[in-house]
Amino acid sequence: MTSFETGDLLGRFPYVRVGSESERLVVFPGVGDAMFDGDYPPPSGWALRTYFRRFVDDYAVYVVSRPRGLPAGQRIEDMAADYADALERELGPADVLGISMGGMIAQAFAADHPDLVDELVLVNTGCRVADGARDAVRRLRRYARTHDWARIRAELAVAMFTDWRAVSYPTLALTVGRFVMPRPAVASDVGVSLDAVLSFDGRDRLDDIAARTLVVGGTDDPYFPRSILEETAAEIPDATLCAFRGAKHGAFHERKPAFDSRVEAFLGQ
């Protein structure tokens, strides 16, 4: 039977773990991490087991959230330093998979703490937000100021999907979702996270990333389109690019079998 575990690294970083292998795959989640209460109930292990089923036979997979109550003005680099403290003291070196904002953190983490990263997977992310998407992120920031979490979720769904979910998810978020979806434990964390995304520009640190790296995303991602994926992969010394044609910001959801196969092959090399 697959083992599950939930808890808090250093008493501050909520996490859920599935699998018990000695090899660790640590996932840094995106902005959505700030939009729930930060507690992983035991059943979340079953959900993680289903989502990472291709990896749990070979890895202990950890999804590690950021602390609740992020200080105003905290940068991506500060978040990376916090993660480094948690891994150094609790888990040790690991393969790291960063999604969206989590991928920005993973870039800074890998550049500043190469001893803690075995292999790096950057998912639907890049060294900066595309110029054409900055107004969209600022709009999310305005919604965060008024605590309109439903509107944020609706816009993210449109940015993520190309199938039926691009229509149904926004509708659900703006109706029943307003009453049943999780709310942030600390409302200001959402704004701090979005500000950090807008201010991050990691172009001058990409060549400091020593880990073998896979950059994977969708060509039509409005935040990190093919041009940003290519820019990011080109400057990392040992990077491979995988861009799913026509996929958007949710390529890791919408193209799940192909995504899993590509990441599994990369990590297994």
Side-chain angles (χ1 to χ4, degrees), residues 81-125:
D82 283 346
Y83 269 123
D85 187 36
L87 264 70
E88 191 167 48
R89 295 168 61 185
E90 294 269 11
L91 299 180
D95 292 340
V96 174
L97 187 152
I99 303 171
S100 190
M101 174 187 171
M104 289 179 156
I105 298 170
Q107 291 169 58
F109 180 88
D112 291 335
H113 305 280
D115 55 316
L116 292 175
V117 183
D118 294 329
E119 294 179 306
L120 179 65
V121 182
L122 303 176
V123 181
N124 280 104
T125 190

Coordinates of all heavy atoms in Angstrom, one line a residue, residues 81-125:
A81 N 14.9 31.1 -0.9 CA 15.8 31.0 0.2 C 15.0 30.2 1.4 O 15.6 29.4 2.1 CB 16.3 32.3 0.7
D82 N 13.7 30.5 1.5 CA 13.0 29.8 2.5 C 12.8 28.3 2.2 O 13.0 27.5 3.1 CB 11.6 30.5 2.6 CG 11.6 31.8 3.4 OD1 12.6 32.1 4.0 OD2 10.5 32.5 3.3
Y83 N 12.6 28.0 1.0 CA 12.5 26.6 0.6 C 13.8 25.9 0.8 O 13.9 24.8 1.3 CB 12.1 26.5 -0.9 CG 10.7 26.4 -1.2 CD1 10.0 27.3 -2.0 CD2 9.9 25.4 -0.6 CE1 8.7 27.2 -2.3 CE2 8.5 25.3 -0.9 CZ 7.9 26.2 -1.8 OH 6.6 26.1 -2.1
A84 N 14.9 26.6 0.5 CA 16.2 26.0 0.8 C 16.4 25.7 2.2 O 17.0 24.6 2.6 CB 17.3 27.0 0.3
D85 N 16.0 26.5 3.1 CA 16.1 26.3 4.5 C 15.3 25.0 4.9 O 15.8 24.1 5.7 CB 15.6 27.5 5.3 CG 15.8 27.4 6.8 OD1 16.9 26.8 7.2 OD2 15.0 27.8 7.6
A86 N 14.1 24.9 4.3 CA 13.3 23.7 4.7 C 13.9 22.4 4.1 O 13.9 21.4 4.8 CB 11.9 24.0 4.1
L87 N 14.3 22.5 2.9 CA 14.9 21.2 2.3 C 16.2 20.9 3.0 O 16.5 19.7 3.3 CB 15.1 21.4 0.8 CG 14.0 20.8 0.0 CD1 12.7 21.7 0.1 CD2 14.4 20.7 -1.5
E88 N 17.0 21.8 3.3 CA 18.3 21.6 3.9 C 18.2 20.9 5.3 O 18.9 20.0 5.6 CB 19.1 22.9 4.0 CG 20.6 22.6 4.4 CD 21.4 23.9 4.1 OE1 20.9 25.0 4.6 OE2 22.5 23.8 3.5
R89 N 17.2 21.4 6.0 CA 17.0 20.9 7.4 C 16.1 19.7 7.5 O 16.1 19.0 8.5 CB 16.5 22.1 8.2 CG 17.5 23.2 8.4 CD 16.9 24.4 9.0 NE 16.4 24.2 10.3 CZ 15.8 25.2 11.0 NH1 15.6 26.4 10.5 NH2 15.3 24.9 12.2
E90 N 15.2 19.5 6.5 CA 14.2 18.4 6.6 C 14.3 17.3 5.6 O 14.1 16.1 6.0 CB 12.8 19.1 6.5 CG 12.5 20.0 7.7 CD 11.8 19.3 8.8 OE1 11.7 18.1 8.8 OE2 11.3 20.0 9.7
L91 N 14.6 17.6 4.3 CA 14.5 16.6 3.3 C 15.8 16.3 2.6 O 16.0 15.1 2.2 CB 13.5 17.1 2.2 CG 12.1 17.3 2.7 CD1 11.2 17.7 1.5 CD2 11.5 16.0 3.3
G92 N 16.7 17.2 2.5 CA 17.9 17.0 1.7 C 17.7 17.3 0.2 O 16.7 17.7 -0.2
P93 N 18.8 17.0 -0.6 CA 18.7 17.2 -2.0 C 17.6 16.4 -2.6 O 17.2 15.3 -2.2 CB 20.1 16.7 -2.5 CG 21.0 16.8 -1.3 CD 20.1 16.5 -0.1
A94 N 17.0 16.9 -3.7 CA 15.9 16.3 -4.4 C 15.8 16.7 -5.8 O 16.4 17.7 -6.2 CB 14.6 16.7 -3.6
D95 N 15.0 16.0 -6.6 CA 14.6 16.5 -7.9 C 13.5 17.5 -7.6 O 12.6 17.2 -6.7 CB 14.0 15.3 -8.8 CG 15.1 14.4 -9.2 OD1 16.3 14.7 -9.2 OD2 14.8 13.2 -9.6
V96 N 13.5 18.6 -8.3 CA 12.6 19.7 -8.0 C 11.7 19.9 -9.3 O 12.3 20.1 -10.4 CB 13.3 21.0 -7.6 CG1 12.3 22.1 -7.4 CG2 14.0 20.7 -6.3
L97 N 10.4 20.0 -9.1 CA 9.5 20.3 -10.1 C 8.7 21.6 -9.7 O 8.0 21.6 -8.7 CB 8.5 19.2 -10.4 CG 7.6 19.2 -11.6 CD1 7.3 17.8 -12.1 CD2 6.3 19.9 -11.2
G98 N 8.9 22.7 -10.5 CA 8.2 23.9 -10.1 C 7.2 24.3 -11.2 O 7.4 24.2 -12.4
I99 N 6.0 24.6 -10.7 CA 4.8 24.9 -11.6 C 4.5 26.4 -11.6 O 4.3 26.9 -10.5 CB 3.6 24.1 -11.3 CG1 3.9 22.6 -11.3 CG2 2.4 24.4 -12.2 CD1 2.8 21.7 -10.7
S100 N 4.5 27.0 -12.8 CA 4.2 28.4 -12.9 C 5.0 29.3 -11.9 O 6.2 29.3 -12.0 CB 2.6 28.6 -12.7 OG 2.2 29.9 -13.0
M101 N 4.3 30.0 -11.0 CA 5.1 30.8 -10.0 C 6.1 29.9 -9.3 O 7.2 30.3 -9.0 CB 4.2 31.4 -9.0 CG 4.9 32.1 -7.9 SD 3.7 32.7 -6.6 CE 4.8 33.2 -5.3
G102 N 5.7 28.6 -9.0 CA 6.6 27.7 -8.3 C 7.8 27.4 -9.2 O 8.9 27.1 -8.7
G103 N 7.7 27.5 -10.5 CA 8.8 27.3 -11.4 C 9.8 28.5 -11.4 O 11.0 28.4 -11.5
M104 N 9.2 29.7 -11.2 CA 10.1 30.9 -11.0 C 10.9 30.7 -9.7 O 12.2 30.9 -9.7 CB 9.3 32.1 -10.9 CG 8.6 32.6 -12.1 SD 7.6 34.1 -11.9 CE 7.6 34.8 -13.5
I105 N 10.3 30.2 -8.6 CA 11.0 30.0 -7.4 C 12.0 28.9 -7.6 O 13.2 29.0 -7.1 CB 10.0 29.6 -6.3 CG1 9.0 30.7 -6.0 CG2 10.7 29.2 -5.0 CD1 7.8 30.3 -5.1
A106 N 11.7 27.9 -8.3 CA 12.6 26.8 -8.6 C 13.9 27.2 -9.3 O 15.0 26.7 -9.1 CB 11.9 25.7 -9.4
Q107 N 13.7 28.2 -10.2 CA 14.9 28.7 -11.0 C 15.8 29.4 -10.0 O 17.0 29.2 -10.0 CB 14.4 29.8 -12.0 CG 13.7 29.2 -13.2 CD 13.0 30.3 -14.0 OE1 13.7 31.1 -14.5 NE2 11.7 30.2 -14.2
A108 N 15.3 30.3 -9.1 CA 16.1 31.0 -8.1 C 16.7 30.0 -7.2 O 17.9 30.1 -6.8 CB 15.3 32.0 -7.4
F109 N 15.9 29.0 -6.8 CA 16.4 27.9 -5.9 C 17.6 27.2 -6.4 O 18.6 27.0 -5.8 CB 15.2 27.0 -5.6 CG 15.5 25.9 -4.7 CD1 15.3 26.0 -3.3 CD2 15.9 24.6 -5.1 CE1 15.5 25.0 -2.4 CE2 16.1 23.6 -4.3 CZ 15.9 23.7 -2.9
A110 N 17.4 26.8 -7.7 CA 18.5 26.0 -8.4 C 19.8 26.8 -8.6 O 20.9 26.3 -8.4 CB 18.0 25.4 -9.7
A111 N 19.6 28.1 -8.9 CA 20.7 29.0 -9.1 C 21.5 29.3 -7.8 O 22.7 29.3 -7.8 CB 20.3 30.3 -9.7
D112 N 20.8 29.5 -6.7 CA 21.4 29.8 -5.5 C 21.8 28.6 -4.6 O 22.7 28.8 -3.7 CB 20.5 30.7 -4.7 CG 20.3 32.1 -5.3 OD1 21.2 32.5 -6.0 OD2 19.3 32.7 -5.1
H113 N 21.2 27.5 -4.8 CA 21.4 26.3 -4.0 C 21.6 25.1 -4.8 O 20.8 24.1 -4.7 CB 20.2 26.2 -3.0 CG 20.0 27.4 -2.2 ND1 20.7 27.7 -1.1 CD2 19.0 28.4 -2.4 CE1 20.2 28.9 -0.6 NE2 19.2 29.3 -1.4
P114 N 22.6 25.0 -5.6 CA 22.8 23.9 -6.5 C 23.0 22.6 -5.8 O 22.7 21.5 -6.4 CB 24.1 24.3 -7.3 CG 24.8 25.3 -6.5 CD 23.7 26.0 -5.8
D115 N 23.5 22.6 -4.6 CA 23.7 21.4 -3.8 C 22.4 20.7 -3.4 O 22.4 19.5 -3.0 CB 24.5 21.7 -2.6 CG 23.9 22.8 -1.7 OD1 23.5 23.8 -2.3 OD2 23.9 22.6 -0.5
L116 N 21.3 21.4 -3.5 CA 20.0 20.9 -3.1 C 19.1 20.4 -4.3 O 18.0 19.8 -4.1 CB 19.2 21.9 -2.3 CG 19.8 22.3 -0.9 CD1 18.9 23.4 -0.3 CD2 19.8 21.1 0.0
V117 N 19.6 20.5 -5.5 CA 18.8 20.2 -6.7 C 19.6 19.1 -7.5 O 20.7 19.4 -8.0 CB 18.6 21.4 -7.6 CG1 17.7 21.0 -8.8 CG2 17.9 22.5 -6.8
D118 N 18.9 17.9 -7.6 CA 19.5 16.9 -8.5 C 19.1 17.2 -9.9 O 20.0 17.4 -10.8 CB 19.0 15.5 -8.0 CG 19.6 15.2 -6.6 OD1 20.7 15.6 -6.3 OD2 18.9 14.5 -5.9
E119 N 17.9 17.2 -10.2 CA 17.4 17.5 -11.6 C 16.2 18.5 -11.4 O 15.5 18.4 -10.4 CB 17.0 16.2 -12.3 CG 18.1 15.3 -12.6 CD 17.8 14.1 -13.4 OE1 16.9 13.4 -12.9 OE2 18.4 13.8 -14.4
L120 N 16.0 19.3 -12.4 CA 15.0 20.4 -12.3 C 14.0 20.3 -13.5 O 14.4 20.1 -14.6 CB 15.8 21.7 -12.4 CG 15.0 23.0 -12.3 CD1 14.3 23.2 -11.0 CD2 15.9 24.2 -12.6
V121 N 12.7 20.4 -13.1 CA 11.7 20.4 -14.1 C 10.9 21.7 -13.9 O 10.4 22.0 -12.9 CB 10.7 19.2 -14.0 CG1 9.7 19.3 -15.1 CG2 11.5 17.9 -14.1
L122 N 10.9 22.6 -15.0 CA 10.2 23.9 -15.0 C 8.9 23.7 -15.8 O 9.0 23.6 -17.0 CB 11.1 25.0 -15.5 CG 12.4 25.1 -14.7 CD1 13.3 26.2 -15.4 CD2 12.2 25.5 -13.3
V123 N 7.8 23.9 -15.2 CA 6.5 23.6 -15.8 C 5.7 24.8 -16.0 O 5.4 25.5 -15.1 CB 5.7 22.5 -15.0 CG1 4.4 22.2 -15.7 CG2 6.5 21.3 -14.7
N124 N 5.3 25.1 -17.3 CA 4.5 26.3 -17.6 C 5.0 27.5 -16.8 O 4.3 28.2 -16.1 CB 3.0 26.0 -17.3 CG 2.3 25.2 -18.3 OD1 2.1 24.1 -18.2 ND2 2.0 25.9 -19.5
T125 N 6.3 27.8 -17.0 CA 6.9 28.9 -16.3 C 8.1 29.4 -17.2 O 8.4 28.8 -18.3 CB 7.4 28.4 -15.0 OG1 7.9 29.5 -14.2 CG2 8.6 27.4 -15.1

